[in-house]
Amino acid sequence: RIECWCLSSQATMEVEVFDDSLGCYYKAFIKAWESDAAHIVYDHDAKAPATLPLSALRQAPSPQESFVPALNSLVEAWEPVDRSVSAVCAWWPATVIQVFDSKLYKVAFDGYGQETILQAESIRPRNPNGHMDKAFSTKTFSFDESLMSGVTEAILTRFQEKCGLATLNADISTAKITFVGSEAALTKAAKMAPMLANMFQREIELLKRKAATAALAEQARAPQIVERFYIDADVVGLAIGKNGANIKMAQAIPNVLQVDINGIDADQAEVTIRATSHDAAAAAKDIMDIVELAVAFEPSMTGAFMGVGGMHLQEIIREYDVRAQMFERGCQFTGKRENCELALAQAELLIETILEEKAQMKELRDLEAQLGIGGRGRGRGRGRGRGRGAGPILSTPAPAPVEDGVVTPPATHSRGRGRGRGR
């Protein structure tokens, strides 16, 4: 993976550094690019790395293995800069002045009047490449930072070769890539830059798939725990959840491998959980297991508990994705444990509210009787409340609760007609 801008493809771009005091060229390698300069390292330790203008650099020529110097050929000779330090060599402009055989040549160095005899391996044709300030230009493109994890040396090398660039510099820290080459190569690279971004994105997706596959392989090698339990066939839909939500949630638990539900007969279904740890299997079971919880109340409260047209009960069913069954002295909820517990809590709160309202209404009627206010009579009235006209009368709605800056409408009682007895 690439973690910084220094790529091996950049480090292997060979250039030659001009020494204008001697007239020779040192071998070096470009490590990083700027708009009109490059950071280079030499092929020897005698000179420290440096940032030099492109006008001081030229690209190394392509090797020519079949080159055979002839008399008066213009060549370059690989010779020590200082014969007392033979390890530091450079390319010197020279002319072949005598040919001894196919392996030995006498050359005269341009501008020095000195002559020497060299082997063929130390002689090459004159470098045809001009200084890089005239041969190359640069263009820098900014990429989305999220794509930088998909940058690889192989992708950059393919892109460089496809566009004919001299090289390119990827700075991962700033998400910028600098293209270096001729104007024609830069124009092509600019047009193909979106394709380069797509290559990074595909690499990221491939890495994710590889990681997921490796995780699955690791899980497959781990010892498996199999948890099986049974649920009634008529609650399979609750166990699965809306659009398979419960199964997806259970399978998303770390170390859970698979969750299956298979029907056994018309009455029962088997839930199978495969995991690599007991804790993961237990957590998945909590999600998939179906429970039944009941709330009890007096038969006389059934209408108020259900609400007009079953409004209150339907609200609980929709809110918590449970099933409800009324019986003579209460209501039973069926579904996920967490959902049933929430439904039960809301039902108990509803019952407490109804009982409190009844107690307050009784106190009010007793007080009116003591004061001799009103008379008994039957009449039709409009009111807010649960059931058949029983319930609190709200003069103004309660303020909506606020959570994280989002206003959520409160659960309010609906208006309903009802027959009531009152003073």
Side-chain angles (χ1 to χ4, degrees):
R1 308 305 308 157
I2 307 301
E3 298 179 353
C4 63
W5 53 259
C6 183
L7 307 175
S8 63
S9 60
Q10 296 166 298
T12 56
M13 183 183 181
E14 185 179 337
V15 293
E16 295 171 355
V17 181
F18 181 58
D19 187 334
D20 56 357
S21 64
L22 298 177
C24 62
Y25 288 86
Y26 298 100
K27 181 190 284 189
F29 300 94
I30 289 182
K31 298 290 288 184
W33 291 83
E34 298 179 8
S35 59
D36 57 357
H39 183 71
I40 61 97
V41 292
Y42 292 91
D43 71 334
H44 53 78
D45 297 330
K47 288 182 174 290
T51 299
L52 301 176
L54 297 183
S55 59
L57 306 176
R58 68 180 182 182
Q59 191 174 11
S62 302
Q64 296 187 16
E65 297 178 359
S66 59
F67 174 64
V68 177
L71 186 63
N72 298 324
S73 293
L74 299 179
V75 296
E76 289 176 346
W78 184 249
E79 272 285 278
V81 174
D82 184 345
R83 292 192 178 276
S84 64
V85 187
S86 59
V88 180
C89 294
W91 289 106
W92 301 80
T95 303
V96 177
I97 59 175
Q98 189 173 354
V99 178
F100 295 102
D101 53 32
S102 60
K103 294 183 179 181
L104 290 176
Y105 303 87
K106 180 183 282 190
V107 299
F109 295 100
D110 294 0
Y112 285 92
Q114 296 180 2
E115 301 175 358
T116 189
I117 297 175
L118 297 173
Q119 294 184 346
E121 292 80 3
S122 299
I123 300 174
R124 73 178 188 188
R126 293 279 178 100
N127 187 344
N129 298 321
H131 286 194
M132 296 179 70
D133 60 329
K134 296 181 174 55
F136 292 133
S137 299
T138 63
K139 281 187 179 181
T140 301
F141 288 81
S142 296
F143 288 75
D144 192 285
E145 290 183 2
S146 64
L147 296 176
M148 292 298 97
S149 60
V151 177
T152 67
E153 182 179 344
I155 290 176
L156 295 178
T157 299
R158 289 201 305 271
F159 186 81
Q160 174 184 335
E161 293 174 350
K162 189 71 174 178
C163 297
L165 295 169
T167 188
L168 47 77
N169 171 46
D171 189 339
I172 303 301
S173 62
T174 62
K176 295 180 183 293
I177 298 181
T178 300
F179 302 145
V180 183
S182 65
E183 288 298 329
L186 291 177
T187 300
K188 186 174 183 180
K191 292 179 179 178
M192 296 178 66
M195 184 186 76
L196 182 60
N198 289 335
M199 293 168 71
F200 295 155
Q201 182 62 42
R202 284 196 295 270
E203 180 67 17
I204 292 171
E205 293 173 358
L206 180 60
L207 289 173
K208 289 180 179 178
R209 290 186 62 181
K210 287 181 178 178
T213 301
L216 289 174
E218 185 66 24
Q219 289 179 341
R221 288 191 291 268
Q224 292 190 15
I225 297 166
V226 180
E227 177 80 29
R228 289 188 176 90
F229 58 95
Y230 301 91
I231 58 176
D232 293 338
D234 59 351
V235 297
V236 168
L238 288 175
I240 293 174
K242 293 179 180 178
N243 300 318
N246 294 342
I247 290 182
K248 292 176 184 177
M249 189 184 307
Q251 292 188 150
I253 296 174
N255 299 321
V256 171
L257 303 179
Q258 191 172 358
V259 177
D260 293 313
I261 298 181
N262 297 303
I264 296 177
D265 51 38
D267 299 323
Q268 276 193 322
E270 181 185 64
V271 181
T272 303
I273 298 172
R274 291 180 170 82
T276 58
S277 75
H278 290 285
D279 290 343
K285 184 178 180 181
D286 287 343
I287 294 175
M288 300 299 301
D289 201 7
I290 301 299
V291 301
E292 295 176 343
L293 299 178
V295 61
F297 48 79
E298 293 297 324
S300 60
M301 297 176 58
T302 299
F305 176 80
M306 294 186 65
V308 178
M311 176 186 64
H312 299 154
L313 187 57
Q314 290 301 319
E315 180 183 345
I316 294 175
I317 292 172
R318 287 193 302 270
E319 180 71 19
Y320 302 113
D321 191 23
V322 295
R323 292 183 185 178
Q325 182 178 0
M326 297 294 300
F327 52 91
E328 184 179 0
R329 290 182 174 272
C331 179
Q332 177 176 281
F333 298 108
T334 305
K336 288 172 55 179
R337 177 175 295 279
E338 179 184 5
N339 293 2
C340 285
E341 289 174 351
L342 292 171
L344 183 65
Q346 182 162 328
E348 290 173 343
L349 181 60
L350 175 60
I351 292 169
E352 292 172 3
T353 303
I354 294 170
L355 292 174
E356 179 66 22
E357 291 169 358
K358 283 190 173 184
Q360 292 180 11
M361 290 300 295
K362 184 178 184 303
E363 290 178 4
L364 182 60
R365 286 195 296 269
D366 291 345
L367 180 60
E368 289 174 345
Q370 292 174 9
L371 297 175
I373 299 174
R376 295 180 64 83
R378 298 178 63 86
R380 298 181 63 86
R382 297 175 63 87
R384 298 175 183 264
R386 299 179 175 85
R388 300 168 62 182
I393 299 174
L394 303 179
S395 58
T396 58
V402 178
E403 180 179 358
D404 292 337
V406 179
V407 177
T408 305
T412 58
H413 303 301
S414 300
R415 291 180 177 271
R417 286 185 175 272
R419 296 184 64 86
R421 298 177 63 88
R423 295 178 184 273

